[in-house]
Structure formats: structure tokens, C-alpha cells
């Protein structure tokens, strides 16, 4: 009965769009910032909700598979930070570029990689988005450059991508993400300098989830105003738990870059519910009460859900149906990720270079050789 009621309300009772007041961004070297109001259509809201809920459920399933020792090695989960990757993705074009650190599952999904390929990559299977060779920290797709395991090292790479955008004159931008823990790296400041000198179309984005590994930002940084760290580069501090705040700030920042004004810096104030990685319980340096308070007051999915229901963009029943469909998708993806075969050993040397003739790669000793093909 409820399904029939939802279907009938699709055309009659729901609002087509609503306008929301959003938190004002803190500004650095900018006279004006993003709008403090945001219009969201019903279709946009349903898309944001489903995408964030899928990422949340995918990460919870990853947690379960890791504890069952089906996922091995490093695994850094993104639940709690869904508004960041979704808000950024919906503000840019598919032809724009994204590079991030190792907490990358959410961005991989937002950039278009199916859940089954992400989970299969986590379990090291042939059907993974990197053929089972990348794992949690190294996932890629078109115009998405990972997933990088070395702290802060993706930032100069992002500037290189932005240099290519400028060189080819396609009016594209590169979103270059790093965490608060990486924000003190020297290579980041060197990159700021080059990007400013060359006016690169690069949006530097610090995902400040308040803890670099197990160290709070107050203990790790003399200045926690990460959006001001570019000094001569303009900056924004954004509520990273609100998908609309992130979307409007990202639109503003990318328009700034496309106008040829050079780089801009964004700090997204967000929070991770899991520990730094699966080997970190996450409660030795913060309390369960702190995590629960963020969940109860600032959860990005709950915030969006309440907005949509309160403005009649969707019904609770309709959103519950999305939840059921998402759970089903995740379970089917997990089934694939646990039954798909592992890549054969003879493919170990493949895909070292793109579009190159086959060549031999030495294995663990000089008598073992593999052939690398593109």
C-alpha cells in the first residue's frame, strides 16, 4: 500500500525544488564568497541521498569483510565524510579531474566506478577496478587519479594535472585533495608556490576530519586555519558535513579557477566515524561520546534526509525504499567480490605502462620472468 501511495505522490504532492539557508563560509583574501542560499531540486536531492547512502553502506560492508579477513592490508574508510565527495562531484564536470589521498572509496564511487568493482578491488579480485592489483589505496578511473598511499604526495601530482589542463587549454580544473595530517608537509607549500606563480586551475582541498591518524589537529598544527595556509592563495572554510555547502563552495572555487585567476584553497570541516584505518579502533584518542555527538547532530545523510522531508521534496517511505534498494545492491556487490576469481600470477607484470609493446619483467628472482602487456 505504501508503495502505491509513494508512486501516486511522485507527480502530485511533492515539491519540485526548495531553497535552503546554508552556513556562510569563512574567507581568506576574498571579498565575496559562495552564496548562503542553495536551491535543490527533488531529483538532485534523491540523487545526493542515494549516493551518500550507497557510500555509507559500502564502507560498512568493507568493515565487515575486513573483520572476516576477506579484505587484507590497508583499508581507510570514508563513512561520515560522504558530503565532501558527493558535494564536490556534483559541482564539477565529468571532464574535470580529481586526485586524492588513500581515503578514496567514496571518490571512486562518485566518479562513476560501480560498487561491485570497488569491493572486488578491496578483496583483490580480477573484476576489481584495477584488476585486483590496487587494493584500498590505489583505485582509478577516467579523470580520477587515485587513491595515493604516500602522505601528501598527490598534491604536486594534482598541480601537474592542473598544468596539463592549462597547457591543453580545455578550461578544465583539477581538484587536489589531502587531509589535515598531510597539511604540514613541505611539498604542499612548494606546490602552492608553483601553482600561484603559474596561475594553475587547481582547487587545493584539505579534508579536515580533525585527526591526522591518531593526533588531533590542535596537537599537530600551530595554526589550524588550513584555508589560510596558502598565504597568497585565496581560501574558503566550508561546512564539510553539509552536501549543499560543499556543492556551492565547489562551484564558486571552480568558477574562480576557470576565470584564469589561478589556484584557490578549500578547507572542508568534516569527521570520520571509523578510526584512521581498520587497524585503528578510533577510540584511544577520542571518546565514543564525541563520535556519537557528531552522528546525532551533524550526520550528512540525516541532515539531507530531514531537509527533504521537511520541505516535501520526498517522503520518509520513499527514502526507506532507497535504503532497501541500496542494501540489496551492496549485498549483491559483496557476493561478487567474494566469489570472483583472483587474478592469475602470470598477469602480475601487466599494465606497468600504457600503450607500450609487451616486454619482460623480472620476478622475485632472476629466473622468474613475467611479460607485461598494456
Amino acid at each position: 500500500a505504501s508503495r502505491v501511495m509513494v508512486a501516486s505522490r511522485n507527480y502530485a504532492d511533492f515539491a519540485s525544488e526548495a531553497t535552503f539557508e546554508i552556513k556562510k563560509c569563512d574567507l581568506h583574501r576574498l571579498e565575496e564568497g559562495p552564496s548562503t542560499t542553495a536551491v535543490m531540486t527533488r531529483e538532485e536531492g534523491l540523487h545526493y541521498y542515494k549516493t551518500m547512502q550507497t557510500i555509507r553502506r559500502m564502507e560498512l560492508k568493507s568493515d565487515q569483510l575486513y573483520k572476516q579477513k576477506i579484505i587484507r592490508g590497508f583499508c581507510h574508510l570514508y563513512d561520515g565524510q560522504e558530503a565532501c565527495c558527493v558535494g564536490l562531484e556534483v559541482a564539477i564536470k565529468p571532464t574535470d579531474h580529481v586526485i586524492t589521498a588513500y581515503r578514496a572509496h567514496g571518490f571512486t564511487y562518485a566518479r562513476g566506478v560501480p560498487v561491485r568493482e570497488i569491493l572486488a578491488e578491496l578483496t583483490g579480485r580480477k573484476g576489481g577496478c584495477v584488476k585486483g592489483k590496487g587494493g584500498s589505496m590505489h583505485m582509478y578511473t577516467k579523470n580520477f587519479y587515485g587513491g595515493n598511499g604516500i602522505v601528501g604526495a598527490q598534491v604536486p601530482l594534482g598541480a601537474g594535472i592542473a598544468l596539463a589542463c592549462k597547457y591543453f587549454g580545455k578550461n578544465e580544473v583539477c581538484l587536489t585533495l589531502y587531509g589535515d595530517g598531510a597539511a604540514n608537509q613541505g611539498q604542499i607549500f612548494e606546490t602552492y608556490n608553483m601553482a600561484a606563480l603559474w596561475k594553475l586551475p587547481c582547487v587545493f582541498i584539505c579534508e579536515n576530519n580533525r585527526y591526522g591518524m591518531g593526533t588531533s589537529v590542535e596537537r599537530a598544527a600551530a595554526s589550524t586555519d588550513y584555508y589560510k595556509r596558502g598565504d597568497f592563495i585565496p581560501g574558503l572554510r566550508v561546512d564539510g558535513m553539509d552536501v549543499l555547502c560543499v556543492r556551492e563552495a565547489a562551484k564558486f572555487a571552480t568558477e574562480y579557477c576557470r576565470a584564469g585567476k589561478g589556484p584557490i584553497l578549500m578547507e572542508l570541516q568534516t569527521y570520520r566515524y571509523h578510526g584512521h584505518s581498520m587497524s585503528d579502533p578510533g577510540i584511544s584518542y577520542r571518546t565514543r561520546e564525541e563520535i556519537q555527538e557528531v552522528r546525532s547532530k551533524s550526520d550528512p545523510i540525516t541532515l539531507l534526509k530531514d531537509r527533504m522531508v521537511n520541505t516535501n521534496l520526498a517522503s520518509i517511505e520513499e527514502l526507506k525504499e532507497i535504503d532497501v534498494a541500496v542494501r540489496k545492491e551492496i549485498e549483491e556487490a559483496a557476493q561478487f567480490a567474494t566469489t570472483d576469481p583472483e587474478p592469475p600470477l602470470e598477469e602480475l607484470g601487466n599494465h606497468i605502462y600504457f600503450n607500450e609493446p609487451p616486454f619482460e619483467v623480472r620476478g622475485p628472482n632472476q629466473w622468474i620472468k613475467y611479460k607485461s602487456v598494456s
Side-chain angles (χ1 to χ4, degrees), residues 18-23 38 40 45-46 48-50 52-53 56 80-84 87 238-247 269-270 273 293-314 316 319:
T19 303
F20 301 93
E21 293 292 322
I22 57 175
K23 187 177 177 182
M40 180 173 69
L46 291 173
Y48 303 165
Y49 181 83
K50 184 181 180 187
M52 289 200 291
Q53 193 68 276
R56 175 72 55 88
Q81 299 184 211
E82 295 90 352
C84 296
V238 184
D239 181 358
M241 302 300 274
D242 182 347
V243 68
L244 295 181
C245 269
V246 177
R247 185 191 75 179
Q269 292 190 310
T270 185
Y273 294 157
E293 184 179 13
V294 175
R295 280 184 180 274
S296 62
K297 294 181 179 178
S298 307
D299 184 78
I301 297 175
T302 304
L303 176 62
L304 178 65
K305 179 180 180 179
D306 291 345
R307 276 178 170 162
M308 293 184 70
V309 172
N310 293 339
T311 55
N312 201 31
L313 288 176
I316 291 175
L319 297 178

Side-chain angles (χ1 to χ4, degrees), residues 173-177 200-205 250 253-254 257 263-266:
V173 301
C174 181
L175 307 187
T176 301
L177 291 110
L200 300 183
C202 189
V203 184
F204 295 106
I205 303 169
T254 52
C257 287
I264 190 167
L265 207 159
M266 284 172 60

Side-chain angles (χ1 to χ4, degrees), residues 43-81:
E43 288 72 24
E44 286 172 340
L46 291 173
H47 172 64
Y48 303 165
Y49 181 83
K50 184 181 180 187
T51 307
M52 289 200 291
Q53 193 68 276
T54 302
I55 294 168
R56 175 72 55 88
R57 290 288 160 192
M58 178 176 71
E59 296 299 65
L60 293 176
K61 177 56 71 173
S62 300
D63 171 271
Q64 182 184 340
L65 292 172
Y66 195 96
K67 286 171 179 172
Q68 292 171 348
K69 297 189 176 180
I70 297 170
I71 294 173
R72 309 299 289 263
F74 292 101
C75 186
H76 305 83
L77 301 182
Y78 200 71
D79 49 321
Q81 299 184 211

Side-chain angles (χ1 to χ4, degrees), residues 157-334:
L157 296 179
I161 297 165
L163 177 60
C165 293
K166 183 171 183 177
Y167 183 84
F168 290 115
K170 293 183 178 178
N171 202 28
E172 297 166 354
V173 301
C174 181
L175 307 187
T176 301
L177 291 110
Y178 55 97
D180 53 276
N184 301 315
Q185 284 267 330
Q187 59 190 323
I188 291 179
F189 296 91
E190 294 177 52
T191 305
Y192 289 163
N193 185 56
M194 288 189 288
L197 283 172
W198 298 342
K199 291 194 179 305
L200 300 183
C202 189
V203 184
F204 295 106
I205 303 169
C206 176
E207 285 186 291
N208 176 9
N209 61 27
R210 293 167 48 179
Y211 296 95
M213 294 189 74
T215 306
S216 67
V217 292
E218 293 81 12
R219 293 176 58 216
S223 168
T224 57
D225 291 334
Y226 295 104
Y227 72 111
K228 295 181 180 178
R229 292 282 198 93
D231 188 13
F232 35 78
I233 297 176
L236 305 162
R237 182 157 59 192
V238 184
D239 181 358
M241 302 300 274
D242 182 347
V243 68
L244 295 181
C245 269
V246 177
R247 185 191 75 179
E248 295 306 306
K251 284 180 179 176
F252 176 89
T254 52
E255 285 169 10
Y256 180 94
C257 287
R258 290 190 216 279
K261 297 178 182 178
I264 190 167
L265 207 159
M266 284 172 60
E267 176 189 343
L268 302 180
Q269 292 190 310
T270 185
Y271 197 85
R272 55 174 163 82
Y273 294 157
H274 268 84
H276 169 72
S277 71
M278 284 301 298
S279 60
D280 165 22
I283 51 170
S284 58
Y285 48 85
R286 59 182 183 177
T287 62
R288 293 182 191 274
E289 289 73 26
E290 178 186 301
I291 302 167
Q292 193 53 46
E293 184 179 13
V294 175
R295 280 184 180 274
S296 62
K297 294 181 179 178
S298 307
D299 184 78
I301 297 175
T302 304
L303 176 62
L304 178 65
K305 179 180 180 179
D306 291 345
R307 276 178 170 162
M308 293 184 70
V309 172
N310 293 339
T311 55
N312 201 31
L313 288 176
S315 67
I316 291 175
E317 293 80 12
E318 185 177 24
L319 297 178
K320 281 182 179 176
E321 285 200 355
I322 292 175
D323 295 347
V324 170
V326 166
R327 282 194 177 94
K328 184 172 183 289
E329 180 187 0
I330 299 299
E331 288 303 323
E332 289 173 354

